[in-house]
């Protein structure tokens, strides 16, 4: 190993670069490390040596010059419409007392693409059944947003909101997805 037992304060940029390159080489008859794996190794070295330098353990950061390679990541396969329908049907048939709420929440995720925090912040008044829109009071990066509600989602939300309004604990303006307490939102952990 190029660094061997060299003290950290003596490691130079070229020493570290050689050491990382040596990790890329494969043993005879074996495949070398992938670009993604090498990027993880380089990232670990950069973090470690930046910490060593930042805490005064070494006089300079030899990993500053380590560059990550560009890697094309595989795109995430989106959930299919059939899978969405199966998920919602499974929730619907679960017999759970909160099934209607859970179906509405997962349908909102699936049909609008909003984030969990955005969904959990929704209040019943944020849903406009006539315009078929959801008003988002908090979106990533700040500000507000509006999402179109497709007909299948509108039908689910209409059932959910009607059940909430007809429930014994209806308190007027409240969260669309209540947590354990009827008038408080679900936590991220509950969701």
């Amino acid at each position: 190993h190029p660094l061997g037992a060299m003290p950290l304060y003596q490691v130079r940029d070229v020493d570290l670069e050689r050491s990382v390159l040596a990790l890329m080489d494969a043993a005879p008859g074996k495949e070398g490390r992938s670009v993604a794996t090498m990027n993880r190794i380089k990232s670990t070295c950069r973090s470690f040596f930046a910490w060593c330098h930042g805490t005064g353990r070494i006089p300079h950061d030899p990993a500053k010059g380590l560059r990550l390679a560009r890697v094309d990541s595989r795109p995430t396969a989106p959930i299919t419409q059939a899978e969405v329908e199966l998920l919602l049907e499974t929730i619907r048939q679960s017999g759970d007392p909160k099934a209607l709420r859970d179906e509405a929440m997962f349908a909102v995720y699936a049909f609008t693409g909003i984030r969990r925090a955005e969904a959990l912040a929704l209040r019943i008044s944020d849903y406009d059944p006539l315009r078929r829109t959801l008003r988002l009071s908090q979106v990533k990066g700040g500000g507000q947003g509006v999402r179109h509600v497709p007909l299948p989602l509108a039908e689910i939300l209409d059932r959910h909101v009607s059940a909430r309004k007809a429930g014994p604990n209806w308190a007027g303006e409240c969260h669309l997805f209540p947590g354990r307490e009827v008038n408080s939102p679900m936590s991220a952990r509950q969701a």
Side-chain angles (χ1 to χ4, degrees):
H1 195 278
L3 292 181
M6 183 183 294
L8 284 177
Y9 68 88
Q10 289 181 352
V11 175
R12 298 172 302 154
D13 304 20
V14 293
D15 301 322
L16 186 57
E17 185 73 32
R18 268 191 234 127
S19 181
V20 169
L21 286 173
L23 291 172
M24 199 161 58
D25 294 335
K30 292 193 175 181
E31 191 175 319
R33 289 184 170 92
S34 72
V35 175
T37 298
M38 290 308 300
N39 278 344
R40 283 192 292 276
I41 291 169
K42 289 177 184 178
S43 183
T44 301
C45 287
R46 286 168 45 165
S47 296
F48 174 72
F49 282 101
W51 173 79
C52 287
H53 178 64
T55 57
R57 287 171 170 76
I58 56 177
H60 71 283
D61 181 355
K64 270 189 172 179
L66 286 179
R67 298 287 174 238
L68 302 182
R70 292 195 53 79
V71 179
D72 292 330
S73 62
R74 284 184 292 162
T76 303
I79 186 170
T80 67
Q81 185 63 33
E83 290 168 329
V84 169
E85 290 169 11
L86 181 61
L87 171 65
L88 298 179
E89 185 62 29
T90 301
I91 294 170
R92 202 175 297 125
Q93 293 180 1
S94 70
D96 188 284
K98 304 283 187 191
L100 194 55
R101 176 201 66 187
D102 295 347
E103 177 189 8
M105 182 177 64
F106 283 102
V108 165
Y109 291 154
F111 289 107
T112 66
I114 68 174
R115 293 173 168 81
R116 180 179 59 191
E118 295 166 346
L120 297 181
L122 289 170
R123 301 184 74 77
I124 287 181
S125 61
D126 292 329
Y127 171 52
D128 184 340
L130 298 176
R131 289 191 176 105
R132 289 197 0 225
T133 58
L134 277 174
R135 183 173 27 95
L136 306 177
S137 59
Q138 67 178 72
V139 295
K140 185 175 180 181
Q144 298 182 343
V146 176
R147 294 292 188 280
H148 171 72
V149 174
L151 186 57
L153 175 57
E155 292 169 351
I156 293 168
L157 285 175
D158 290 343
R159 285 195 310 269
H160 174 59
V161 170
S162 293
R164 291 289 319 279
K165 289 180 177 179
N169 297 323
W170 174 249
E173 173 56 19
C174 54
H175 293 277
L176 188 57
F177 306 117
R180 288 191 178 98
E181 299 294 323
V182 167
N183 295 319
S184 63
M186 288 179 76
S187 68
R189 184 179 182 133
Q190 288 172 315

